[in-house]
């Protein structure tokens, strides 16, 4: 059994298609089929059930792929550790990120990291919260930028950003009047019990934060629309379809599709973290990225502090 055969089986399981798997592996499809047949013959079991239009993983295949993923991850960790011992600076770092949050944060961090460590290649993976947790737990992503709470208890994390959560309402909403009138310009979440909410779809971490804010205030939000993109959520709010909670870093500048934003009385926050699997060897590249991230974010906070 060869390591490349483990990689081949894993890619077939991911793609469930020999042509796509061969393309991702940069080998010819007949070679891939031949290697898989050789592996199955050696093991004495069928790993994949082939039909004309699909490839299904068998029970034996499921067990094999689970173990193969762990073996390949251990090999990668061993390579990283040996590279660190030999003081090699070359390497690859797979960073998972929430798409919209990453779009606001990573452009600040990545240029600084690239300047400091030009020989380390960054591979960026943008996925939903639940998928990122799975990728990080399996070792397919070295680290991921996520928001608390984390569901997978096999992950450890380091907090890097804490930011306020505000309320977005349509510009014509009665609550928006508070922005132009005198008096209290904040909103108590309990006031929102009868309001229609627009939320992110299941699998997005911020959805759970939004629901928890309402639950803590004593009610379940009436969710009338869902989207996988928080920018779409803001556009729907601006169009008058409902209200939504929005992290502060994602607020829009004024334009025709900008909601009105109000602070919440209890000033809730969300915490962004860099997560990694517990017990996984953290390479020097990972340590350097986390240190660069901390330094850049601290510099940004210092720049934005009121004088």
């Amino acid at each position: 059994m060869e390591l490349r055969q483990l990689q081949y089986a894993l890619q077939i399981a991911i793609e469930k298609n020999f042509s796509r798997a061969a393309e991702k592996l940069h080998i010819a499809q007949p070679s891939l089929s031949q290697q898989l047949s050789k592996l199955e013959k050696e093991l004495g079991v069928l790993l994949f059930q082939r039909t004309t239009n699909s490839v299904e993983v068998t029970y034996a295949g499921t067990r094999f792929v689970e173990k193969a993923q762990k073996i390949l991850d251990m090999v990668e960790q061993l390579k990283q550790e040996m590279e660190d011992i030999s003081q090699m600076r070359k390497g690859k770092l797979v960073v998972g990120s929430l798409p919209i949050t990453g779009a606001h944060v990573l452009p600040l961090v990545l240029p600084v990291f690239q300047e400091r460590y030009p020989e380390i290649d960054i591979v960026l993976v943008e996925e939903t919260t639940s998928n990122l947790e799975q990728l990080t737990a399996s070792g397919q992503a070295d680290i991921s930028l996520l928001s608390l709470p984390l569901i997978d208890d096999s992950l450890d994390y380091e907090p890097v950003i804490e930011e306020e959560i505000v309320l977005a309402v349509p510009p014509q909403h009665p609550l928006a009047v508070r922005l132009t009138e005198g008096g209290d310009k904040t909103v108590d979440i309990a006031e929102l019990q009868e309001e229609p909410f627009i939320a992110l779809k299941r699998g997005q971490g911020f959805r759970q934060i939004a629901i928890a804010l309402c639950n803590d205030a004593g009610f379940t939000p009436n969710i009338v629309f869902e989207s996988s993109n928080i920018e779409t959520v803001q556009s729907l709010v601006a169009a008058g379809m409902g209200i939504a909670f929005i992290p502060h870093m994602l607020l829009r500048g004024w334009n025709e599709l900008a909601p009105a934003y109000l602070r919440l009385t209890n000033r809730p926050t969300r915490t962004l973290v860099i997560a990694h699997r517990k017990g996984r060897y953290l390479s020097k590249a990972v340590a350097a990225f986390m240190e660069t991230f901390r330094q850049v974010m601290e510099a940004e906070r210092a720049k934005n502090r009121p004088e």
Side-chain angles (χ1 to χ4, degrees), residues 200-230:
L200 291 172
K201 291 183 178 180
R202 297 181 188 278
Q204 306 276 7
F206 192 71
R207 174 192 174 94
Q208 299 308 315
I209 294 174
I211 292 174
L213 288 175
C214 294
N215 291 343
D216 291 344
F219 68 94
T220 300
N222 173 29
I223 298 174
V224 294
F225 286 101
E226 296 179 341
S227 173
S228 58
N229 190 317
I230 203 159

Side-chain angles (χ1 to χ4, degrees), residues 143-208:
I143 52 177
S144 286
L145 180 64
L146 294 164
S147 61
L148 295 182
L150 302 182
I151 304 302
D152 195 321
D153 59 9
S154 69
L155 298 180
D156 204 351
Y157 62 86
E158 178 178 332
V160 287
I161 300 174
E162 187 164 354
E163 63 168 336
E164 187 173 351
I165 297 169
V166 302
L167 179 70
V169 301
Q172 300 79 25
H173 195 283
L175 288 173
V177 176
R178 297 186 188 184
L179 296 172
T180 56
E181 293 182 346
D184 189 4
K185 291 181 172 59
T186 64
V187 177
D188 192 302
I189 296 178
E191 297 179 59
L192 308 176
Q193 187 166 351
E194 303 302 323
E195 295 285 345
F197 276 83
I198 302 171
L200 291 172
K201 291 183 178 180
R202 297 181 188 278
Q204 306 276 7
F206 192 71
R207 174 192 174 94
Q208 299 308 315

Side-chain angles (χ1 to χ4, degrees), residues 33-50:
S33 299
Q34 183 181 16
Q35 285 296 323
L36 179 63
S37 297
K38 180 180 176 182
L39 177 62
E40 289 177 326
K41 184 176 180 180
E42 178 184 347
L43 297 173
V45 295
L46 190 68
L47 300 178
F48 299 96
Q49 187 71 51
R50 294 86 148 170

